[in-house]
Amino acid sequence: MASNKRKDIIQDDSDKLIIRPLGAGQEVGRSCIYLEFKGKKILLDFGIHPGLSGRAALPFIDNIEPEELDLLLVSHFHLDHCGALPWFLNKTRFKGRCYMTHATKAIYKWLLADCIRVSNVSAEEMLYTEAELNASMSRIETINFHQEIEVNGIKFWCYHAGHVLGAAMFMIEIAGVKILYTGDFSRQEDRHLMAAEVPNLRPDVLVTEATYGVHVHEPREQRENRFTRLVNDIVTRGGRCLIPVFALGRAQELLLILDEYWSSHPELHEFPIYYASSLAKKCMSVYQTYIDAMNDKIRKQSAVSNPFKFKHIASLKTIDDFDDIGPCVVLASPGMMQSGLSRELFESWCTDKRNGVIIAGYCVEGTLAKMILSEPEEITTMSGQRYPLKCSVDYISFSAHTDCNQTTDFIRELRPPHVILVHGESTEMNRLRSHLIRKFEDDPECKLLVYTPKNTQSVELRFRGEKTAKVVGQLAAEKPGEGNILSGILVRRNFKLHMMAPEDLQNFTTLTRSTVTQHLGIPFTAAPRSLVLNLSQVAGELEQVGDKQKPGIRVFGAINIFLENRMLVLEWESSPVNDVYADAVVTVILKTESGDCPGNTDTPIQVDKKHVRTCIQETLEEMYGASMVSLSEDQQQLNVTVDEKKAIIDLESYEVKCDDEEIHSMIDVTVKQLSACIQPLKLTPATT
């Protein structure tokens, strides 16, 4: 009768994938995502919070041990994704490897150096110096788009993210489980950047931004027309137009739009356009260097002329180079106006109602750019003075972040079973979560679980796949049959398992095989026969080894014992099992020597064979019933009947004969063990 065997599923902590935001969890800023799986530990980005300063702006790294990290991947050069990287690389015990794309590394140094120079914080609050920024460059390695790299068993490669020049989405694979981290990305091609790629592999987990929640961007043409019309209105009414931007990213997009618009409107040529950034010339050189990372339109145009050599735009390095004498357009960094040129110009112009500010990107809570969108009556300057806010303030999103529709379509193409939302304010993030659940709840091809963790809150997912091992070497010489048991050494390297014979270790691995033979001497003065008897009670049947000149016995089939000049010498090949056997043998020897064992005598033991036969018969009668056991007339055999099947036991040799294997095995074990307990000791020659 077949029985159902319950299979217990053993929970293995190494099967648990932990994803924990240390920043950007239900907030925008200080992006830093921690991954842990199969003992591998990774950080994704290490940014600062634009609305905070000093250590308060850092991710919550108290929850991790930096020295245990294998890898740090940086998605792009914006400060909220890499602004704290020099601090982390110089002032923690991080020993892992750090990667970003070539364009990101080129811009990272200049952008952060500029941030240090314009930062409006005291020396005590500065997270790092320019020297520490320069020192971090040697720790950063570069990766090409679509190039696969492996570090400590972690495979990763990256795709174009479309957000800014060099922005990357990272696909990470650990033990066959794939995690896609988008960073900031955009699925809409603009004037100079390509849209984010859709990976051709389905990730098991998607970690993606939720910056705009359920908001849907207006069409590009409509957005550009509204932007140029606003700029036109401000300068033609005699005002100064301030457009706060980051030095790289949306600035180049807006410069392309304004230069084209000015070219087609000669009446505006009297109004100058300035690109006010200490990095202006450096930024343009980077964009010219990495033309190949941009879209087809820019690449084709670059074959004829430099698309970033503008006819109607001049560069300003500092405010001292600027003559504020009339209507103009100024694109100034930084984009959130916390300090720098954009903050200085805003404080100079905000009291004149003819002037206007156009916020062209996403604003983080706690920044001046976010605050003026609510149109307060007054603002507080960097010096602490209060100025009335009379200039116009408009918001047109040129932010190259994905919107609700783009995110939904992206997920529909990838069909990941798990989606983790980061980089979004809690309200917008939860709205997007609800939208995604409703959108995919009836889709049989895309069953989503959506998570919105807070900072330091972990999402724990289990991935338990079938573990398979490749058999190599001698073990693979013959094809195994169904039910065959293979015995060998299981070797694991970077989540790949191979089984091989010990002799093949040096052929398929860098390991070598060696044998350690143990020798142990113990003084012994007791009767040798007492020791043999006591060992037989512990180990069962003993074997004879050696020769006439040096006789000995083998215990447990592994431990050889020789008596030499009142000294017992033990020899065995060391292994975990053999070492345990040796400990047991030593214990028996010491007890025999001390006289604690009952067999401490050299007198030959006489056993009554009739008594042995009687014991066997009574034991079998108790097991199978008296009517099932009978003694032959010559009293040399016992007949046992079980389920109408007959077994015959020879009472001289104690051999059992039976056609049924299961009955034979049960009776044979009973007879052998019972006779071994009360029979005189038998030594058998060791097999070689």
Side-chain angles (χ1 to χ4, degrees), residues 395-407:
Y395 176 71
I396 303 176
S397 176
F398 281 90
S399 179
H401 290 273
T402 180
D403 66 5
C404 181
N405 289 345
Q406 293 176 31
T407 301

Side-chain angles (χ1 to χ4, degrees), residues 368-567:
L368 178 63
K370 182 72 172 180
M371 189 264 286
I372 65 172
L373 289 177
S374 62
E375 299 183 358
E377 292 184 359
E378 292 182 327
I379 61 102
T380 303
T381 67
M382 288 188 289
S383 61
Q385 296 176 279
R386 299 189 71 81
Y387 285 179
L389 179 62
K390 294 185 177 179
C391 67
S392 63
V393 178
D394 293 279
Y395 176 71
I396 303 176
S397 176
F398 281 90
S399 179
H401 290 273
T402 180
D403 66 5
C404 181
N405 289 345
Q406 293 176 31
T407 301
T408 304
D409 293 340
F410 189 67
I411 291 173
R412 182 174 286 110
E413 291 193 58
L414 288 177
R415 297 181 293 109
H418 301 279
V419 175
I420 298 175
L421 300 178
V422 296
H423 199 281
E425 301 299 338
S426 59
T427 302
E428 290 298 327
M429 187 180 286
N430 285 308
R431 285 175 179 168
L432 179 58
R433 177 180 181 271
S434 299
H435 165 81
L436 292 174
I437 291 171
R438 288 195 307 271
K439 202 74 176 175
F440 292 100
E441 63 184 351
D442 296 324
D443 189 341
E445 295 184 358
C446 188
K447 294 295 184 182
L448 282 187
L449 290 173
V450 186
Y451 311 84
T452 56
K454 298 177 182 178
N455 283 334
T456 71
Q457 180 183 354
S458 296
V459 175
E460 297 183 356
L461 308 172
R462 287 194 176 272
F463 294 92
R464 188 173 184 271
E466 291 290 331
K467 291 182 174 64
T468 58
K470 184 178 181 181
V471 180
V472 296
Q474 298 178 26
L475 295 181
E478 295 183 10
K479 185 178 180 180
E482 184 69 27
N484 284 10
I485 297 176
L486 287 177
S487 178
I489 294 177
L490 193 63
V491 179
R492 173 177 146 177
R493 183 181 180 186
N494 292 340
F495 311 113
K496 293 181 180 178
L497 298 173
H498 292 85
M499 179 177 278
M500 62 195 72
E503 296 78 16
D504 288 324
L505 272 178
Q506 59 187 9
N507 298 327
F508 294 95
T509 71
T510 56
L511 303 173
T512 56
R513 184 186 179 214
S514 59
T515 301
V516 177
T517 302
Q518 299 269 33
H519 292 264
L520 178 64
I522 303 174
F524 188 75
T525 57
R529 184 171 181 81
S530 299
L531 175 62
V532 172
L533 177 63
N534 293 333
L535 286 173
S536 69
Q537 301 302 311
V538 174
E541 194 170 87
L542 309 181
E543 303 173 46
Q544 291 178 331
V545 294
D547 50 30
K548 291 182 179 180
Q549 284 74 33
K550 187 183 178 182
I553 57 174
R554 179 173 296 164
V555 187
F556 296 113
I559 315 297
N560 293 340
I561 305 174
F562 300 95
L563 180 60
E564 300 177 1
N565 299 322
R566 294 195 171 275
M567 178 75 72

Side-chain angles (χ1 to χ4, degrees), residues 271-299:
F271 306 119
I273 303 174
Y274 299 104
Y275 176 31
S277 170
S278 58
L279 298 177
K281 290 184 179 179
K282 290 179 179 178
C283 291
M284 289 300 101
S285 67
V286 171
Y287 267 67
Q288 291 158 20
T289 301
Y290 293 100
I291 286 286
D292 288 341
M294 299 181 200
N295 60 25
D296 290 339
K297 180 181 177 181
I298 290 291
R299 287 201 295 267

Side-chain angles (χ1 to χ4, degrees), residues 239-268:
R240 296 156 175 81
C241 179
L242 173 64
I243 307 171
V245 291
F246 291 106
L248 281 158
R250 292 301 86 195
Q252 283 64 41
E253 181 76 3
L254 298 176
L255 291 172
L256 288 166
I257 294 169
L258 288 171
D259 196 60
E260 182 184 280
Y261 185 75
W262 248 242
S263 295
S264 60
H265 291 77
E267 72 276 11
L268 298 176

Side-chain angles (χ1 to χ4, degrees), residues 31-32 43-48 58-59 61 81-85 87-88:
S31 285
C32 183
L43 275 191
L44 303 170
D45 286 335
F46 202 85
I48 57 172
L58 290 171
I61 66 159
H81 290 260
C82 72
L85 189 58
W87 179 89
F88 187 72

Side-chain angles (χ1 to χ4, degrees), residues 118 120 240-244 319 322 324 330 332-334 336-353 355-357 367-369 371-372 378-391 393:
V118 304
N120 186 37
R240 296 156 175 81
C241 179
L242 173 64
I243 307 171
I319 200 168
F322 175 53
D324 190 4
V330 180
S333 64
M336 308 223 184
M337 297 194 296
Q338 290 298 88
S339 59
L341 287 169
S342 62
R343 180 64 175 258
E344 293 179 53
L345 290 172
F346 173 75
E347 292 181 1
S348 298
W349 294 349
C350 69
T351 57
D352 190 334
K353 65 180 181 180
N355 299 334
V357 178
T367 60
L368 178 63
M371 189 264 286
I372 65 172
E378 292 182 327
I379 61 102
T380 303
T381 67
M382 288 188 289
S383 61
Q385 296 176 279
R386 299 189 71 81
Y387 285 179
L389 179 62
K390 294 185 177 179
C391 67
V393 178

